[in-house]
Amino acid sequence: MTGSVTAKYREMRVNATDLFDLVLLALLLTCAIGIARLKDLAACAILFSAYSFILCLVWAHRGAPDVAMTEAAVGAGITTVLFLVVISRVGRREK
Amino acid sequence: MNRRRAGRILTAVLIAALAVPLMYGMVQLPAPGHADAPAHTNVSAGYIERGAELGGSENLVTGVLLNFRALDTFGEVLVIFTAWLAVAAVAGTASNAERDPVPPSPVVDYVIRLLGPFIAIFALFVIVNGHVLPGGGFQGGVLLGAMLILLSLVMDAETVARAVSARSWIWLRATGVLVFAMVAVMGLPLAGYLFGLPDEPGLRQVLTVALELGIGIGGGAVLAGLFFAIAGADRS
Amino acid sequence: MIEWSHWLPILAMLPLVGGALTPLLFRHRPAAACFWAVSVASVTSVVAIALLLRLVDSGGFSYAVGGWLPQYGIELRMDEVGAFAVPASLLVLLSLVFSRHYVARAVDASRVSFYYALVLINLGGLNGFLVTGDLFNLFVFMEIFSVSAYALVATAREPIASLAALKYLLLGAASSLLVLFSVGVVFAMTGTLNLEDAAAALALSSPMPAGLALAGLATGFAVKAALFPVHFWLPDAHAAAPAPVSAVLSALVVKAGIVGVLRTLELFGGAESLLQPLLHLVVWLGALGALGGALMALVQRDIKLMLAYSTVANIGYIFIGLGLATASAVSGAMVHAVNHAVIKSALFLAAGAMIHRTGLRNIDDLRGLGRRMPVTAFGMAFTLIALSGAPPMAGFTGKWQIALGALQAGHPSLVAVLVIAGIVVLAFGIRVINALYFRPPARVAVASATEAPASMWLPVLMLTIASLALGLAGTPMLEFVGPAAQSIYGTLP
């Protein structure tokens, strides 16, 4: 079992596309940690929007334009607005 | 202070305990994009080989969504409608007294009003071309919803909500479910099975576009409805 | 005349579309909305019964949605597990009849049509979930019944309802995510979403990613079913919801989680080395749930909270049966799922009628109600005894078979657990019966109460009769589910 796993990694060449993916994934991770740590809900919502936008790039780069479009419009656009509307009604600090 | 620290350490340990087996399992999955992976050789290969021809959509994703796995898509459309029902059944009929009194800047106002019609046309384009290009009912519907929400931000949510009567809004929101159900039932005489699309290319094209339009209009109206309900502009 | 197999998708489509139409047609006419919902549920019940008769007559059958081969399209199939659609449709029908007067007080008038729409959509999601033979389709229908269930809990006017619904929503969403993730893993491993195909492919696959998928699916469905350590969302949600919704949730929605577990066992039936540890774990979690749920029920003062904890206990029994993996235990568990559905919905509806008439939900406050509301109180007393597992009523069959299975599997300690839990259930049953019949009224609301309208006591009475009839029909029910139990687990001892 382990043999096939290492073989899979040996196959993986680090080229420009992979590097692009890695950068995007690192950004995703940064956003996720930021969302978990922030206490300001409005900032969280904006960071969520950024997260979705990066994810949208990942989809587009992976050859799934249909998913990328939905992610951009729903994740980066509409959910952010809905979050912000709710935050404007309940206050922006986490208690 | 110490308790909080202990809580954090506990959280980290729990997350690690969850993440390690997940990663271990994921690494052993067949690599995505690998030509021998079952995900590409089994059903997907069949879709790629004959999907466009049998499903009637050059965009295979649309073919799978509206034809091969139409029941799933009907279910998703219904989940979206149910989400609105849920919010409408729960959201308080709160007053707008606490609404932010600061008007948006004139530049934002002007740009959004200017962009509105273009977004609408683009949304329509995405919807009706779903069978040949990336996109379709869901994507176009979301664009429509986003346009309505943008307009509500600069005009006033209530003005936009009142552009259509409360009764018509509900029918618009159910468009996706109703059109899908009608096409599904038409499959019985046309294709011999519920949710079947006919083999005759012209008729199949018409029904596909009808489905996309239904999903798009329904989705857009639901998203706008979610916004209206949460913003307290839903007077219906 | 359309061919009969077309009725299989209609079983799910009818309540779904009927539900979506409810707010469109009857927005401001609550009475008409109720009539409409009852009609849709009646027709659905007739369809379900017709399909069941067909199943009994000529065995299981399947339907290719859209006319596509099972692998490329979605396959629906009617089997003994799918036959749960019959009690599901009938119980929702009775709950809808009960709702007619109940929601007038419990739900805002402007939202009544949404309430009926959500109940019908819930039924459609359950029916689809029960008859689908496709893994992703299973997830879609699970989302339909889950989303409508979260919303239904929140429609109640109780102040705690929105909090309970939020808890339910967060737990439910996490469990849905686990299920979706596992469906993805199964697809990556097998390249197919059809349950049978995937099961065949998984039997040959390597244990590790398969184990991950098994753990994800089992945990996800266990949360929906409220198995012991992940049950804590249930008491609040089921106690806060409007009574007819509590009946549907306790009787059907948690059972859908159990059906999900059954489908998971079916999917991994070929990978026995993975299943064995899981089944052992499930037995002991079930035993803890049975004991803990019964004890927690005993100390409750709120009648609906008591019933909700008793649901946790009964889910425990069912999981003991599923985990023991002997022929009698598994068929006992499957029969008990149906019987508990009937008994628990009778209890929740009876409790709802009492709350509707008196406005009181504390057991001590309901003292002396037995003479004021004779039919409802009789229904509650009778079904409480049935719940404890006294023969010849419905609770007996399943528990007896599970106990037999425990002896066969060499776990006499589990029999002790079952007996102790049964005694505890009988104890809180007697406590309620004692309060209802043998104590003088302590509250003015009770002294002046009168019997609930017929739309309330009639469903309670019918379910009470059913809880006796199903107990008498124990043997045929066991014979009916027997082959399904065998086929899900491969061969059972």
Side-chain angles (χ1 to χ4, degrees):
Chain A
M1 197 63 235
T2 17
S4 74
V5 174
T6 38
K8 213 184 289 167
Y9 275 110
R10 219 169 288 145
E11 265 173 44
M12 214 171 80
R13 284 162 303 169
V14 179
N15 52 31
T17 357
D18 288 336
L19 199 65
F20 187 61
D21 261 356
L22 283 178
V23 171
L24 288 181
L25 291 177
L27 278 173
L28 271 184
L29 206 60
T30 319
C31 282
I33 294 171
I35 293 165
R37 292 192 63 94
L38 276 177
K39 293 264 179 241
D40 182 340
L41 293 176
C44 278
I46 301 299
L47 212 50
F48 244 124
S49 173
Y51 177 92
S52 288
F53 202 80
I54 298 164
L55 204 55
C56 160
L57 289 180
V58 175
W59 300 137
H61 183 230
R62 285 279 168 160
D66 294 79
V67 188
M69 273 177 87
T70 321
E71 183 69 50
V74 178
I78 288 180
T79 49
T80 311
V81 177
L82 292 181
F83 279 143
L84 289 176
V85 173
V86 173
I87 289 166
S88 79
R89 299 188 71 133
V90 300
R92 69 186 280 176
R93 299 295 300 181
E94 190 184 326
K95 274 160 210 152
Chain B
M1 201 60 206
N2 239 341
R3 257 184 86 165
R4 201 164 154 191
R5 203 187 160 86
R8 280 189 178 181
I9 291 170
L10 192 69
T11 315
V13 169
L14 275 177
I15 289 176
L18 203 66
V20 168
L22 276 182
M23 286 181 185
Y24 182 64
M26 293 300 281
V27 167
Q28 306 205 0
L29 279 181
H34 202 285
D36 300 335
H40 305 304
T41 55
N42 201 347
V43 180
S44 310
Y47 284 143
I48 290 167
E49 211 170 294
R50 302 199 58 201
E53 175 200 340
L54 293 174
S57 304
E58 278 169 58
N59 179 0
L60 282 175
V61 176
T62 307
V64 172
L65 283 182
L66 295 187
N67 203 343
F68 294 104
R69 300 189 63 90
L71 184 58
D72 279 346
T73 314
F74 174 73
E76 296 295 353
V77 170
L78 209 105
V79 169
I80 295 175
F81 181 72
T82 309
W84 173 73
L85 270 183
V87 171
V90 173
T93 45
S95 69
N96 302 313
E98 49 199 308
R99 168 101 41 85
D100 192 1
V102 184
S105 91
V107 178
V108 172
D109 188 303
Y110 182 78
V111 169
I112 287 179
R113 279 169 202 255
L114 189 71
L115 278 178
F118 291 102
I119 300 179
I121 289 174
F122 179 59
L124 207 64
F125 175 83
V126 169
I127 292 174
V128 296
N129 282 308
H131 55 290
V132 280
L133 297 174
F138 287 109
Q139 289 84 349
V142 171
L143 287 172
L144 272 184
M147 182 203 71
L148 289 171
I149 292 176
L150 274 179
L151 285 181
S152 327
L153 290 179
V154 293
M155 289 157 74
D156 178 39
E158 247 174 285
T159 321
V160 179
R162 282 217 199 96
V164 179
S165 75
R167 212 182 153 71
S168 314
W169 267 126
I170 300 197
W171 280 93
L172 281 176
R173 281 169 198 139
T175 318
V177 178
L178 298 182
V179 171
F180 220 127
M182 268 189 275
V183 173
V185 173
M186 279 164 69
L188 207 50
L190 292 176
Y193 285 92
L194 280 163
F195 287 98
L197 289 179
D199 286 331
E200 205 267 305
L203 191 56
R204 186 166 57 190
Q205 198 86 315
V206 171
L207 290 180
T208 305
V209 173
L211 280 178
E212 298 277 30
L213 271 174
I215 295 171
I217 294 171
V222 163
L223 287 173
L226 289 178
F227 176 80
F228 296 151
I230 294 174
D234 201 0
R235 295 258 153 236
S236 48
Chain C
M1 186 60 210
I2 44 176
E3 211 204 325
W4 51 266
S5 70
H6 292 301
W7 290 105
L8 200 49
I10 292 175
L11 182 66
M13 288 280 284
L14 197 67
L16 291 178
V17 178
L21 280 171
T22 313
L24 306 184
L25 300 175
F26 308 105
R27 185 81 205 276
H28 301 291
R29 287 180 291 160
C34 177
F35 182 74
W36 165 259
V38 168
S39 320
V40 173
S42 314
V43 180
T44 311
S45 306
V46 172
V47 172
I49 291 170
L51 288 169
L52 173 67
L53 291 178
R54 188 80 209 185
L55 174 72
V56 173
D57 208 37
S58 52
F61 51 90
S62 74
Y63 184 80
V65 180
W68 300 110
L69 286 173
Q71 252 194 324
Y72 294 100
I74 292 168
E75 182 194 15
L76 300 181
R77 53 179 197 185
M78 187 70 178
D79 54 14
E80 284 80 0
V81 177
F84 193 63
V86 175
S89 307
L90 287 171
L91 289 177
V92 168
L93 172 63
L94 291 178
S95 299
L96 283 167
V97 171
F98 183 93
S99 299
R100 188 179 140 74
H101 286 101
Y102 189 87
V103 295
R105 187 170 300 167
V107 178
D108 275 346
S110 62
R111 297 172 185 177
V112 167
S113 69
F114 295 147
Y115 167 87
Y116 287 115
L118 287 167
V119 174
L120 282 179
I121 288 173
N122 192 268
L123 171 63
L126 285 170
N127 280 350
F129 185 86
L130 291 167
V131 300
T132 188
D134 186 278
L135 203 49
F136 187 75
N137 202 231
L138 200 70
F139 169 77
V140 170
F141 279 117
M142 183 175 85
E143 279 305 277
I144 294 179
F145 77 66
S146 303
V147 171
S148 50
Y150 311 142
L152 279 169
V153 171
T155 53
R157 272 185 186 158
E158 316 269 339
I160 193 189
S162 11
L163 205 62
L166 185 66
K167 204 168 164 190
Y168 185 17
L169 168 74
L170 291 178
L171 260 286
S175 79
S176 295
L177 205 63
L178 269 176
V179 171
L180 180 62
F181 170 78
S182 312
V183 170
V185 172
V186 170
F187 182 75
M189 291 181 64
T190 65
T192 177
L193 289 168
N194 187 279
L195 271 175
E196 258 174 64
D197 283 346
L202 281 172
L204 307 170
S205 66
S206 64
M208 182 43 205
L212 191 65
L214 175 62
L217 284 173
T219 317
F221 288 128
V223 173
K224 299 268 187 226
L227 179 61
F228 163 63
V230 282
H231 68 285
F232 49 89
W233 59 269
L234 184 144
D236 285 349
H238 287 200
V245 173
S246 312
V248 171
L249 291 180
S250 256
L252 307 174
V253 175
V254 290
K255 301 302 183 331
I258 288 176
V259 170
V261 172
L262 281 173
R263 296 295 188 209
T264 309
L265 294 177
E266 214 175 319
L267 186 61
F268 289 90
E272 205 165 317
S273 58
L274 286 174
L275 274 186
Q276 280 313 320
L278 179 78
L279 291 176
H280 280 299
L281 181 68
V282 157
V283 168
W284 293 108
L285 292 180
L288 285 173
L291 266 184
L295 287 172
M296 284 302 285
L298 188 62
V299 300
Q300 298 305 317
R301 315 183 71 175
D302 181 310
I303 188 154
K304 282 180 76 184
L305 259 180
M306 180 195 91
L307 295 176
Y309 274 108
S310 134
T311 297
V312 175
N314 279 280
I315 293 295
Y317 297 145
I318 295 171
F319 272 106
I320 294 177
L322 293 182
L324 283 171
T326 67
S328 63
V330 174
S331 30
M334 289 163 84
V335 169
H336 192 62
V338 177
N339 289 342
H340 172 252
V342 171
I343 295 171
K344 192 48 67 65
S345 46
L347 284 168
F348 266 120
L349 292 185
M354 292 175 178
I355 294 168
H356 178 79
R357 272 316 207 201
T358 62
L360 303 168
R361 43 191 302 164
N362 200 316
I363 296 168
D364 293 330
D365 289 341
L366 291 171
R367 268 185 277 176
L369 202 57
R371 296 218 174 75
R372 306 281 161 200
M373 301 178 68
V375 184
T376 312
F378 169 73
M380 175 167 278
F382 192 91
T383 43
L384 272 172
I385 295 170
L387 186 68
S388 72
M393 285 170 286
F396 173 68
T397 323
K399 289 186 189 174
W400 179 251
Q401 292 295 325
I402 295 170
L404 277 184
L407 284 180
Q408 281 168 10
H411 290 301
S413 54
L414 280 177
V415 181
V417 168
L418 285 168
V419 170
I420 294 171
I423 291 171
V424 174
V425 173
L426 195 62
F428 72 67
I430 287 173
R431 183 174 148 225
V432 174
I433 294 168
N434 182 38
L436 286 178
Y437 283 104
F438 303 109
R439 292 294 173 89
R443 302 287 292 246
V444 184
V446 171
S448 62
T450 50
E451 183 55 83
S455 72
M456 290 188 171
W457 64 254
L458 203 59
V460 173
L461 190 64
M462 287 169 80
L463 288 167
T464 308
I465 295 168
S467 74
L468 178 63
L470 287 180
L472 297 175
T475 320
M477 282 172 80
L478 286 168
E479 279 168 8
F480 174 73
V481 298
Q486 289 288 353
S487 75
I488 288 172
Y489 286 77
T491 42
L492 293 172

